[in-house]
Amino acid sequence: MTLQHRYPDEFMPSKYFLAKDNDKTFQFDDQLPSLPIPSLKSTLSKYLESVKPHLTREEIEKTVQAVRRFAENEGPKLQSILEERAKAKRNWLEEWWLSYAYLKLRIPVTPLMNVTGIAPYVFHLWPPSKGTQVTRNSLSTYFLLEHWQLIKRQKLLHDSGRSGKEPWSMYQFRSLYNCCRLPGLEEDTICRYFKTDEEGEAPSHLVVFCNRRIYKIDSVLDSKGRLFTPPQLKHMLSRIKEEAYSQEAGPGLSSLTTLDRSTWYKLRQHLVSLSHTNEQHLHTIQSAIIGSSLVDDTPSDMSQLSQQGLLGKPGNAWYDKSYSSIWFENGTTVSNCDHAPMDAMTSVNVSFYADCRLIECEGVWKGENEEETNEVPSYHELHFTIDKQIEDGIAAAESSYLKLARNIEIINPEFHTFGKDLFKELKLHPDTFVQVCLQYAYYKLHGK
């Protein structure tokens, strides 16, 4: 891993992240136009264009006839229903998309729906180095918490178009932190606990997963409301790690989040029925800012990191969390994120912010030392009451997860021949290029 960052020498993160003057992160969200309804004619025309490459001439003729019948019969009535729905909603599609594309699916979230990503500083600033896990985690987490505070204070610069004059919605940033997916029998729900400072108090705790055990850092804020520093966080993470590995491995309750959603829902209901404390602990995990995992593996290249991000050991991450930060013994890291409440670019924003801040300090904390601060974060382990049904559920979850993981291979090579500049020159969206590559690869393999 030898990629180099390409930021200019005078680079400062404030240009990219800090709102200007009296601007606020979410100030434009209520002013943005509603999602328009395309005309029936436009929808049917685009549908025909999209299916043509996949059909024979005879199939195309049949499809054209079917589309014509639809346009003359059911089409106008269904179009009017959409138009009525659009009058009452800012985004007539959002609820349906979230429900049918994500929340109604009963398949396991990992590795089939969640996304993983490798932070850029793994390549240019922090190559694999034994014994750096906790130190790097504490510094990176501190900058992540700065990002959390920027959003809470509405001082994160809002996104805009290339001109800088077209504000985009920042709604998905409300699901980056303090957010978790909750399993349902037929459909999951998204639980958002995040609040801006104007809206109230957001939970300020973290959950840490280590040696199949779960710990809560009670707050990332000291008694004066300031973020605990990296040395303070390091002190706490070191204690958690030492305590976790001084005992036998825990039950690995988080493995249950790898099950199909309906089975996980039933086991979760049973878990809650066993103890009120169990329900409180689940709420603690759900409402935490993020989940942070300390794992004893040592991935050292992009493919290994990607493999660990999606297919790592079960029992060491709560895969329903919107954002999980997974740290390995050699100081490398990946994130694992729920795709339902946010797109990848939302989580990329925090990785970019942390990268900028780490470049500024050259990957070393240059603020207060631990001995200059008196307070340290408090923590405790979350002890669940479990029975044989839960133990069997964990075992079944890990068996099915590992079986699925064995059927998936992730290869993430570094490609330097060309990149986005060529796509711009050819006026191609990167997604379009990748889709064509996938179809061409399939054609070369199967001849059709």
Side-chain angles (χ1 to χ4, degrees), residues 6 31 37 45 89 167 218 235 320 329 432:
R6 298 180 180 177
Q31 304 170 25
I37 292 275
S45 175
K89 294 184 178 292
D218 295 320
H235 177 82
D320 288 352
E329 186 61 37
T432 303

PDB file of all heavy atoms in Angstrom, residues 6 31 37 45 89 167 218 235 320 329 432:
ATOM      1  N   ARG A   6      -2.586  13.653  -2.500  1.00  0.00           N
ATOM      2  CA  ARG A   6      -2.317  14.660  -3.513  1.00  0.00           C
ATOM      3  C   ARG A   6      -2.831  16.033  -3.091  1.00  0.00           C
ATOM      4  O   ARG A   6      -3.194  16.847  -3.921  1.00  0.00           O
ATOM      5  CB  ARG A   6      -2.960  14.236  -4.842  1.00  0.00           C
ATOM      6  CG  ARG A   6      -2.397  12.931  -5.388  1.00  0.00           C
ATOM      7  CD  ARG A   6      -3.062  12.556  -6.690  1.00  0.00           C
ATOM      8  NE  ARG A   6      -2.520  11.306  -7.223  1.00  0.00           N
ATOM      9  CZ  ARG A   6      -2.956  10.709  -8.332  1.00  0.00           C
ATOM     10  NH1 ARG A   6      -3.936  11.251  -9.015  1.00  0.00           N
ATOM     11  NH2 ARG A   6      -2.422   9.572  -8.735  1.00  0.00           N
ATOM     12  N   GLN A  31     -35.930  24.166   2.137  1.00  0.00           N
ATOM     13  CA  GLN A  31     -36.164  25.073   1.011  1.00  0.00           C
ATOM     14  C   GLN A  31     -35.974  24.402  -0.351  1.00  0.00           C
ATOM     15  O   GLN A  31     -36.311  24.980  -1.381  1.00  0.00           O
ATOM     16  CB  GLN A  31     -35.205  26.272   1.108  1.00  0.00           C
ATOM     17  CG  GLN A  31     -35.281  27.027   2.421  1.00  0.00           C
ATOM     18  CD  GLN A  31     -34.156  28.037   2.548  1.00  0.00           C
ATOM     19  OE1 GLN A  31     -33.600  28.513   1.560  1.00  0.00           O
ATOM     20  NE2 GLN A  31     -33.806  28.379   3.788  1.00  0.00           N
ATOM     21  N   ILE A  37     -42.306  14.531 -10.517  1.00  0.00           N
ATOM     22  CA  ILE A  37     -42.851  13.315 -11.125  1.00  0.00           C
ATOM     23  C   ILE A  37     -42.632  13.396 -12.630  1.00  0.00           C
ATOM     24  O   ILE A  37     -43.111  14.331 -13.277  1.00  0.00           O
ATOM     25  CB  ILE A  37     -44.365  13.191 -10.861  1.00  0.00           C
ATOM     26  CG1 ILE A  37     -44.647  12.941  -9.381  1.00  0.00           C
ATOM     27  CG2 ILE A  37     -44.967  12.080 -11.711  1.00  0.00           C
ATOM     28  CD1 ILE A  37     -44.579  11.512  -8.955  1.00  0.00           C
ATOM     29  N   SER A  45     -40.910   5.902 -22.342  1.00  0.00           N
ATOM     30  CA  SER A  45     -39.866   6.037 -23.357  1.00  0.00           C
ATOM     31  C   SER A  45     -38.512   5.592 -22.803  1.00  0.00           C
ATOM     32  O   SER A  45     -37.765   4.849 -23.463  1.00  0.00           O
ATOM     33  CB  SER A  45     -39.788   7.486 -23.840  1.00  0.00           C
ATOM     34  OG  SER A  45     -38.706   7.651 -24.734  1.00  0.00           O
ATOM     35  N   LYS A  89     -46.093  14.977  -0.317  1.00  0.00           N
ATOM     36  CA  LYS A  89     -44.773  14.580   0.175  1.00  0.00           C
ATOM     37  C   LYS A  89     -43.676  15.357  -0.546  1.00  0.00           C
ATOM     38  O   LYS A  89     -43.765  15.604  -1.743  1.00  0.00           O
ATOM     39  CB  LYS A  89     -44.546  13.074  -0.026  1.00  0.00           C
ATOM     40  CG  LYS A  89     -45.480  12.208   0.828  1.00  0.00           C
ATOM     41  CD  LYS A  89     -45.164  10.744   0.676  1.00  0.00           C
ATOM     42  CE  LYS A  89     -46.068   9.902   1.574  1.00  0.00           C
ATOM     43  NZ  LYS A  89     -45.756  10.111   3.003  1.00  0.00           N
ATOM     44  N   PRO A 167     -27.454  24.397  -3.422  1.00  0.00           N
ATOM     45  CA  PRO A 167     -27.374  23.574  -2.201  1.00  0.00           C
ATOM     46  C   PRO A 167     -28.040  22.219  -2.390  1.00  0.00           C
ATOM     47  O   PRO A 167     -29.061  22.103  -3.071  1.00  0.00           O
ATOM     48  CB  PRO A 167     -28.126  24.423  -1.165  1.00  0.00           C
ATOM     49  CG  PRO A 167     -29.032  25.305  -1.964  1.00  0.00           C
ATOM     50  CD  PRO A 167     -28.305  25.589  -3.235  1.00  0.00           C
ATOM     51  N   ASP A 218     -18.862   5.762  28.651  1.00  0.00           N
ATOM     52  CA  ASP A 218     -20.080   6.447  29.082  1.00  0.00           C
ATOM     53  C   ASP A 218     -20.312   7.783  28.390  1.00  0.00           C
ATOM     54  O   ASP A 218     -21.457   8.156  28.136  1.00  0.00           O
ATOM     55  CB  ASP A 218     -20.055   6.642  30.599  1.00  0.00           C
ATOM     56  CG  ASP A 218     -20.085   5.305  31.323  1.00  0.00           C
ATOM     57  OD1 ASP A 218     -20.825   4.405  30.876  1.00  0.00           O
ATOM     58  OD2 ASP A 218     -19.361   5.143  32.326  1.00  0.00           O
ATOM     59  N   HIS A 235      -6.069   5.947  26.777  1.00  0.00           N
ATOM     60  CA  HIS A 235      -6.013   5.357  28.115  1.00  0.00           C
ATOM     61  C   HIS A 235      -7.205   4.424  28.330  1.00  0.00           C
ATOM     62  O   HIS A 235      -7.057   3.301  28.831  1.00  0.00           O
ATOM     63  CB  HIS A 235      -6.007   6.475  29.165  1.00  0.00           C
ATOM     64  CG  HIS A 235      -6.023   5.996  30.578  1.00  0.00           C
ATOM     65  ND1 HIS A 235      -4.886   5.598  31.242  1.00  0.00           N
ATOM     66  CD2 HIS A 235      -7.051   5.841  31.463  1.00  0.00           C
ATOM     67  CE1 HIS A 235      -5.196   5.221  32.478  1.00  0.00           C
ATOM     68  NE2 HIS A 235      -6.513   5.357  32.628  1.00  0.00           N
ATOM     69  N   ASP A 320     -25.728  -3.698  12.552  1.00  0.00           N
ATOM     70  CA  ASP A 320     -26.897  -2.847  12.353  1.00  0.00           C
ATOM     71  C   ASP A 320     -26.562  -1.368  12.541  1.00  0.00           C
ATOM     72  O   ASP A 320     -27.375  -0.511  12.181  1.00  0.00           O
ATOM     73  CB  ASP A 320     -28.006  -3.229  13.338  1.00  0.00           C
ATOM     74  CG  ASP A 320     -28.666  -4.560  12.985  1.00  0.00           C
ATOM     75  OD1 ASP A 320     -28.363  -5.100  11.908  1.00  0.00           O
ATOM     76  OD2 ASP A 320     -29.475  -5.055  13.791  1.00  0.00           O
ATOM     77  N   GLU A 329      -4.898  -5.154  14.776  1.00  0.00           N
ATOM     78  CA  GLU A 329      -3.733  -5.147  15.646  1.00  0.00           C
ATOM     79  C   GLU A 329      -2.557  -4.381  15.047  1.00  0.00           C
ATOM     80  O   GLU A 329      -1.744  -3.800  15.773  1.00  0.00           O
ATOM     81  CB  GLU A 329      -3.310  -6.591  15.957  1.00  0.00           C
ATOM     82  CG  GLU A 329      -2.186  -6.720  16.960  1.00  0.00           C
ATOM     83  CD  GLU A 329      -2.539  -6.149  18.320  1.00  0.00           C
ATOM     84  OE1 GLU A 329      -3.711  -6.302  18.747  1.00  0.00           O
ATOM     85  OE2 GLU A 329      -1.657  -5.546  18.951  1.00  0.00           O
ATOM     86  N   THR A 432     -21.289   4.209 -14.684  1.00  0.00           N
ATOM     87  CA  THR A 432     -21.566   3.682 -16.029  1.00  0.00           C
ATOM     88  C   THR A 432     -20.391   2.839 -16.517  1.00  0.00           C
ATOM     89  O   THR A 432     -20.564   1.733 -17.045  1.00  0.00           O
ATOM     90  CB  THR A 432     -21.822   4.825 -17.018  1.00  0.00           C
ATOM     91  OG1 THR A 432     -22.903   5.624 -16.536  1.00  0.00           O
ATOM     92  CG2 THR A 432     -22.157   4.296 -18.410  1.00  0.00           C
TER      93      THR A 432
END
